[in-house]
């Protein structure tokens, strides 16, 4: 079963994305901020990271920079998902290593499909 | 072997180097722009003693400071100073493109309830939905008795789906059962948005589950 890590400081957002990803067949874990996410990602091989931008302690951009500069994590697919829809937000996300940038709120059907397409196949590792 | 003076103490081989900056406000403000991060860090810490007089320079330095440890010292200094001038200096950072600066500002503002409280209604009515979201982020940590009333105002009036769902998330923490009719009514304002329906149901579970 593929594993996904949801990184967001809002409980409601984590629960919503968890529900959608579990319906898509993912085993889901959660982190409230970038620091907690990094600690979890270093010990658990995730097939997909779902990362918010604005979070306390470590924001999503910093988290992705850290992920992409860490050899064990650099290849993990990452979707950045934010309330911010400006062009510079999207560009910033791709510059720090996001594979896809989505604007909240996501539509469940499209999100399930995109997550499945983006994720690594957990069985191949 | 070093020279030994007649009194037995080692003699200085050279004069101590003069301080690069004076330890007064003028010197510390100059040191805040030193090339060495360590010097800027110390300047930020020492400027706390000058209170509001230093706030403008500390906020201005934040806008260009590239070093995370110096940024942290600048935010710590502003938090230690506190008060209206700090709040006025940090709120403009919420409109910037630097996520680290915005989040640092949110974290400091969330710890200054007395100075932030009178400005919260203005923040939550800002024309920019991102600024309203940062207002809600500040409320997450802000221990203020008016927080539930402010959140109810967002639920009833804000036109932006992301602002309303974050307000629902916050209200789930501080809301009380008599607020549940207003929470339920949010579904009628966004009838075609599945995330709103989910956020309302989750908030109701959390508020009523906490009875």
């Amino acid at each position: 079963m593929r594993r996904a890590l949801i990184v967001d400081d809002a409980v409601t957002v984590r629960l919503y994305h968890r529900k959608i990803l579990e319906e898509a067949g993912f085993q889901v874990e959660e982190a409230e901020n970038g620091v907690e996410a990094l600690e979890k990602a270093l010990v658990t091989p995730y097939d997909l990271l779902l990362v918010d931008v604005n979070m306390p302690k470590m924001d999503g951009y910093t988290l992705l920079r850290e992920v992409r500069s860490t050899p064990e994590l650099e290849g993990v697919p990452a979707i950045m998902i934010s309330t911010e829809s400006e062009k510079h937000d999207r560009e910033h996300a791709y510059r720090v290593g996001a594979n896809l940038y989505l604007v909240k709120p996501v539509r469940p059907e499209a999100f399930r499909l995109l997550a499945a397409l983006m994720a690594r196949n957990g069985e191949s590792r | 072997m070093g020279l030994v003076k007649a009194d037995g103490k080692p003699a200085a081989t050279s004069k101590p180097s003069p301080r690069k900056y004076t330890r007064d406000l003028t010197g510390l403000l100059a040191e805040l722009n030193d090339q060495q991060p360590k010097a800027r860090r110390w300047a930020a810490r020492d400027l706390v003693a000058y209170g509001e007089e230093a706030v403008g320079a500390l906020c201005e330095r934040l806008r260009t400071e590239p070093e995370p440890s110096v940024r942290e010292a600048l935010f710590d200094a502003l938090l230690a100073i506190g008060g209206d001038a700090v709040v006025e200096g940090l709120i403009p950072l919420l409109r910037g493109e630097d996520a680290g600066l915005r989040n640092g500002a949110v974290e400091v503002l969330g710890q200054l309830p007395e100075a932030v409280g009178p400005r919260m209604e203005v923040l939550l009515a800002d024309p920019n939905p991102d600024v309203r979201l940062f207002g809600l982020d500040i409320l997450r940590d802000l221990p203020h008795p008016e927080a539930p009333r402010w959140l109810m105002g967002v639920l009833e009036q804000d036109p932006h789906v992301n602002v309303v769902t974050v307000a629902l998330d916050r209200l789930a923490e501080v809301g009380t059962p008599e607020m549940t009719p207003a929470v339920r009514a949010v579904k009628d304002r966004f009838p075609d948005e599945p995330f709103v329906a989910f956020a309302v149901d989750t908030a109701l579970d959390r508020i009523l589950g906490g009875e």
Side-chain angles (χ1 to χ4, degrees), chain A residues 1-4 6 14-30 48 50 108 111-112 115, chain B residues 198:
Chain A
M1 183 181 265
R2 289 175 300 184
R3 286 178 169 165
I6 297 170
R14 294 202 303 272
L15 291 173
Y16 182 62
H17 291 159
R18 169 185 279 274
K19 180 171 177 281
I20 297 170
L21 289 176
E22 285 181 344
E23 286 168 359
F26 283 87
Q27 181 183 326
V28 178
E29 291 183 31
E30 301 175 14
L48 181 66
L50 188 65
F111 184 52
R112 262 193 294 274
Chain B
F198 181 89

Side-chain angles (χ1 to χ4, degrees), chain B residues 11 15 18 21 23 25 30 36 51 68 70 80 83 86 108 110 113 150 182 187:
Chain B
K15 284 185 180 176
Y21 302 99
R23 306 312 290 169
L25 180 61
Q36 296 299 319
V70 184
V86 170
V108 172
W150 292 327
K187 279 190 188 181

Side-chain angles (χ1 to χ4, degrees), chain A residues 8-13 52 54 82-84 104-105, chain B residues 124 129-140 147 150-152 154-155 158 160-174 186 190 195-196 199-200 203 206:
Chain A
D8 201 302
D9 58 328
V11 176
T12 306
V13 174
D52 182 26
N54 293 302
S82 172
T83 55
E84 295 168 44
K104 294 177 185 174
Chain B
L124 294 178
D130 288 336
V131 173
R132 302 202 296 279
L133 283 165
F134 294 129
L136 293 171
D137 283 345
I138 293 166
L139 265 187
R140 178 183 47 216
W150 292 327
L151 291 168
M152 292 286 281
V154 173
L155 293 197
D158 200 289
H160 199 287
V161 63
N162 284 327
V163 180
V164 171
T165 48
V166 171
L168 283 166
D169 190 73
R170 304 287 178 263
L171 197 65
E173 300 280 341
V174 297
V186 175
F190 301 92
F195 182 44
V196 170
V200 166
R206 291 169 70 194

